Amino acid sequence: MSRKLLPILMMMVVLSPLAIDIYLPSMPEMAREFSVSDTQVQSTLVLFIFSMGIGQILIGPLADRFGRRPIALAGICLYIASSLFAVSVVQFEYLQLARVLQGIAACATSIVVFSAVRDRFNAQQSAHYYSYLNGVICVVPALAPTLGGFLALHFGWRSTFLFMAIVAILVLFVVAFKLPETRPEHANNHTALYRWARYQPILSNSQFVFYASTCMIGMASILTYVSYAPSWIIKHLELSELTFSYLFGFNALINIAACFLAPKVIKKIGNHLTVSYALWLMVLSALLQFLVQLLTLENSLLAAILFMLPMLFLCVGFALLLGPATSMALSAFGERAGTASALLGCIQMSGAALLTGLLQQTHLLAPNASIVMIGGGSILLIILMWLPNVKHWHQQSVTE
């Protein structure tokens, strides 16, 4: 059953990155159509991530109470409806609302996917499966922007949201007929859904807080890169949407390779050391971006390539980081996997959205914003891992 479960989870996990990446090449065109700024269009991405995180606080306990399967079905249906809503909007504020609803829907499938892995596998196995799922997630950025650029070029940016709805309909049929219930039979279903006692044991666990924060910094770094890159390359450097798609897709291909290599790295050196190496790769990314910006470049294509090159190290670092960090954050919470996954997702995604949103208010250019977010966050975490008096925050724990 476990082997049959993984392909279903892989299909489900596609929905979230698809809603992020397929419309990236269309963002400058959307700004022109709605007569809004680049920052306002970037807010559709930030709002999606933020609502995806906040929604998990509400949906996580529901997954523990009513099971993974009904939550997955409800989330996919909302994803379809919100995607179709985005297709029909004529005012920018309604597009923002559609993205909030889409984020809540995507969070339901995300909770089910990661809770199901924790339901069926121990911490070390979970890290491997999380990395494989992250590998599938990384396939989408390699393909979706090119597909989105093609759809927008021939049918307009609204066709990208229609495509999201069509994919979700296909996933709905698979989940309806194939997804088993994975919630532990001995889970406690009689306590109140929303009360501090459900969250307090998780938030008081220092290892959970540290690794949830690590996931948040990693996600904020990726979100900064993804939200700033389209405007920088298409509008500032005046390159085409397809050129952006090819550059973005190449980085995503490297990310894919890193995600599928990650389980081997984790198996060889362990979760803790993998996280440490991943953070150092992110520091290297920020340092290279700083050095690149010292150059004076007249050729726009070369400038775009050199902007994207340091992001390769971010992509590899993030691929190595997320699997072991997620596994170690959730390792102590077997029966509360849904609630723990919800809190992890909330901190990771909503926290990342807030950090990125605050960064966007500074009006830093894309390269400088990337340096601040990627370098600043990873250096802070590395310093904490060096401090001897807080080793218990990140040390390997015993699996429940």
Side-chain angles (χ1 to χ4, degrees):
M1 179 63 72
S2 296
R3 290 184 178 180
K4 294 180 180 179
L5 178 64
L6 186 60
I8 302 172
L9 299 182
M10 285 179 170
M11 290 189 66
M12 294 171 61
V13 85
V14 164
L15 296 179
S16 297
L18 184 66
I20 295 171
D21 295 299
I22 195 170
Y23 83 110
L24 291 180
S26 302
M27 291 176 74
E29 177 60 31
M30 293 166 70
R32 285 190 291 269
E33 178 174 325
F34 288 107
S35 299
V36 296
S37 67
D38 292 338
T39 300
Q40 286 174 291
V41 172
Q42 290 168 359
S43 74
T44 62
L45 187 57
V46 172
L47 284 170
F48 174 85
I49 298 295
F50 181 79
S51 60
M52 189 175 175
I54 290 295
Q56 298 196 39
I57 293 295
L58 301 176
I59 298 173
L62 294 176
D64 283 343
R65 171 67 64 85
F66 300 107
R68 318 308 189 206
R69 179 180 160 83
I71 296 303
L73 292 172
I76 297 170
C77 289
L78 179 57
Y79 187 99
I80 295 168
S82 57
S83 299
L84 294 175
F85 180 32
V87 172
S88 64
V89 297
V90 294
Q91 296 182 22
F92 183 71
E93 292 76 12
Y94 289 124
L95 177 62
Q96 291 177 310
L97 175 59
R99 291 294 283 169
V100 169
L101 295 175
Q102 200 173 34
I104 293 172
C107 85
T109 59
S110 176
I111 285 175
V112 170
V113 167
F114 287 95
S115 296
V117 171
R118 185 62 184 88
D119 291 339
R120 292 294 175 90
F121 307 104
N122 63 37
Q124 193 68 22
Q125 292 172 325
S126 294
H128 295 171
Y129 282 103
Y130 290 143
S131 295
Y132 285 127
L133 289 170
N134 290 330
V136 174
I137 291 173
C138 293
V139 171
V140 178
L143 302 177
T146 302
L147 175 60
F150 174 83
L151 289 172
L153 180 64
H154 292 280
F155 306 105
W157 65 265
R158 296 174 192 273
S159 63
T160 61
F161 287 91
L162 180 60
F163 184 83
M164 294 181 209
I166 293 171
V167 171
I169 290 171
L170 296 176
V171 174
L172 179 63
F173 278 102
V174 173
V175 170
F177 292 103
K178 296 293 184 179
L179 181 68
E181 180 56 66
T182 65
R183 184 190 60 173
E185 294 181 0
H186 55 282
N188 187 352
N189 297 323
H190 303 292
T191 59
L193 279 175
Y194 305 109
R195 62 190 182 103
W196 175 244
R198 292 183 68 92
Y199 303 106
Q200 190 274 334
I202 301 171
L203 291 174
S204 63
N205 184 298
S206 58
Q207 180 171 295
F208 173 85
V209 172
F210 177 83
Y211 282 106
S213 301
T214 302
C215 291
M216 178 186 69
I217 294 298
M219 180 62 71
S221 299
I222 287 291
L223 183 56
T224 298
Y225 160 49
V226 169
S227 62
Y228 276 86
S231 176
W232 180 254
I233 292 176
I234 297 172
K235 294 189 70 175
H236 180 78
L237 297 179
E238 299 181 339
L239 296 175
S240 69
E241 288 85 349
L242 284 179
T243 300
F244 164 77
S245 299
Y246 294 147
L247 292 173
F248 192 85
F250 178 76
N251 278 12
L253 288 174
I254 300 300
N255 200 359
I256 294 169
C259 283
F260 283 98
L261 180 64
K264 300 182 185 299
V265 176
I266 295 166
K267 185 176 181 179
K268 185 173 183 179
I269 66 175
N271 289 336
H272 184 272
L273 200 55
T274 302
V275 169
S276 180
Y277 286 169
L279 292 173
W280 277 113
L281 283 171
M282 292 169 63
V283 172
L284 178 59
S285 173
L287 177 60
L288 288 176
Q289 189 67 257
F290 174 77
L291 294 175
V292 164
Q293 297 311 310
L294 297 179
L295 303 175
T296 301
L297 301 170
E298 300 295 335
N299 185 287
S300 293
L301 179 59
L302 180 59
I305 291 172
L306 290 181
F307 169 74
M308 297 295 274
L309 182 62
M311 299 306 180
L312 287 174
F313 294 94
L314 168 63
C315 292
V316 175
F318 184 70
L320 291 175
L321 177 76
L322 204 56
T326 300
S327 178
M328 293 186 74
L330 299 180
S331 62
F333 308 104
E335 294 185 12
R336 299 181 183 180
T339 302
S341 294
L343 280 174
L344 175 62
C346 181
I347 294 170
Q348 174 183 324
M349 296 177 189
S350 296
L354 286 173
L355 290 176
T356 306
L358 290 173
L359 188 64
Q360 288 172 353
Q361 302 309 309
T362 65
H363 302 294
L364 287 172
L365 296 178
N368 296 329
S370 300
I371 292 167
V372 169
M373 184 63 74
I374 301 168
S378 53
I379 288 173
L380 175 61
L381 291 169
I382 288 171
I383 291 173
L384 289 175
M385 294 183 79
W386 276 354
L387 295 176
N389 58 329
V390 294
K391 281 187 176 180
H392 61 284
W393 290 6
H394 53 81
Q395 63 188 1
Q396 192 84 30
S397 67
V398 179
T399 303
E400 183 179 288

